[in-house]
Amino acid sequence: MGGQTHIYDITNSVNTDRYTPSVTYPDTFNPFRSETNFFRYTLDTKSEITVYVSYFGGAYSLAGPRVKTLLLRTPQKAGSYVLVYDGTDDSGNLIEPHTYVIAVFGWRLPDNAIIVDVSPNISDLLVTPTYFYPDENPYTEENRATFTYTLSKTADVRANIYNEKNYVVRTITVDEVPVGGGNIIAWDGKNEEGKYVSSGTYRLTLVATDANENQSRETNAFIEIYY
């Protein structure tokens, strides 16, 4: 082109054959038991990875419709990975009790592929307590639900709290949260107007944004409000 010579190296180009890394995960999971549904997989080479959750069994002799896509052709280096599934669908709603399969598929990348990922990551999200009575002792600052998490790099963190209809009832932001574990966001059970929310199931969604506007994936947890 224009008298210039270019070399296009297709050596070790992407292998279009899909493969399935081995996956380990708990047999059962309840998002309200203060337990985290960790599942693990290992890649023997850098790959593009898709992870999703779909129905299994019952009316579905094989994997049924997808309910949640966690990763979609996301490049990852070789190594061991841990992901968390919070029991929601792609709209953030809790899925019905059923048998599901967590599917992990990979497409191998060439040896000269370079993967750059600078986004912050939120992990180890823990809710205490998972059943919360906000008005039990309104005269003490200790009557709070706490959301503890680990952050991979310094970032601003935004917490949105959704009700069962997926409306945001409260937004809490914390600037320049330091890297590491033990970071805490506390909620007193009140909405933006300062009133206690109604009984029911609420979802906390955390998103971290670093100084260069790189955003983490959403991390979710659930809490049950009662009076």
Side-chain angles (χ1 to χ4, degrees):
M1 179 181 292
Q4 297 181 15
T5 301
H6 300 271
I7 297 176
Y8 178 57
D9 182 10
I10 61 173
T11 303
N12 294 326
S13 59
V14 176
N15 188 334
T16 58
D17 294 334
R18 187 181 74 181
Y19 74 99
T20 305
S22 61
V23 186
T24 58
Y25 47 82
D27 293 332
T28 60
F29 168 61
N30 184 334
F32 293 106
R33 287 181 181 169
S34 294
E35 61 188 24
T36 305
N37 184 19
F38 293 107
F39 64 96
R40 296 168 170 81
Y41 59 93
T42 300
L43 307 180
D44 59 5
T45 184
K46 65 184 75 171
S47 306
E48 288 184 329
I49 299 298
T50 289
V51 180
Y52 64 84
V53 180
S54 64
Y55 287 99
F56 188 79
Y60 308 102
S61 56
L62 298 174
R66 296 187 187 185
V67 296
K68 183 70 171 265
T69 300
L70 297 170
L71 298 176
L72 184 61
R73 297 297 290 257
T74 300
Q76 292 185 331
K77 298 181 292 184
S80 297
Y81 290 86
V82 179
L83 285 182
V84 176
Y85 177 52
D86 56 18
T88 65
D89 61 19
D90 282 323
S91 298
N93 300 307
L94 276 173
I95 60 175
E96 61 182 328
H98 193 78
T99 300
Y100 297 87
V101 60
I102 297 175
V104 181
F105 295 115
W107 292 262
R108 291 181 173 85
L109 291 170
D111 292 338
N112 59 357
I114 298 175
I115 299 173
V116 179
D117 185 7
V118 295
S119 300
N121 181 58
I122 298 173
S123 60
D124 303 326
L125 179 57
L126 179 65
V127 183
T128 307
T130 51
Y131 292 86
F132 179 42
Y133 180 9
D135 199 25
E136 182 178 17
N137 191 353
Y139 303 107
T140 174
E141 291 294 321
E142 296 180 0
N143 191 39
R144 300 286 190 273
T146 60
F147 306 94
T148 307
Y149 60 97
T150 298
L151 195 58
S152 65
K153 63 186 298 188
T154 299
D156 299 337
V157 175
R158 184 186 73 250
N160 284 331
I161 299 172
Y162 295 82
N163 63 16
E164 293 177 347
K165 295 182 179 179
N166 258 341
Y167 292 118
V168 177
V169 298
R170 182 77 176 270
T171 297
I172 302 171
T173 57
V174 185
D175 295 334
E176 297 185 354
V177 178
V179 62
N183 295 304
I184 292 176
I185 288 179
W187 182 42
D188 57 7
K190 295 179 180 179
N191 60 22
E192 296 288 6
E193 286 73 42
K195 298 179 180 179
Y196 288 117
V197 299
S198 303
S199 298
T201 302
Y202 291 81
R203 172 170 56 95
L204 171 94
T205 296
L206 288 184
V207 175
T209 305
D210 68 15
N212 294 317
E213 301 299 321
N214 298 304
Q215 275 196 349
S216 70
R217 293 196 304 270
E218 290 186 352
T219 303
N220 297 284
F222 289 91
I223 185 169
E224 187 78 19
I225 301 294
Y226 71 98
Y227 297 98

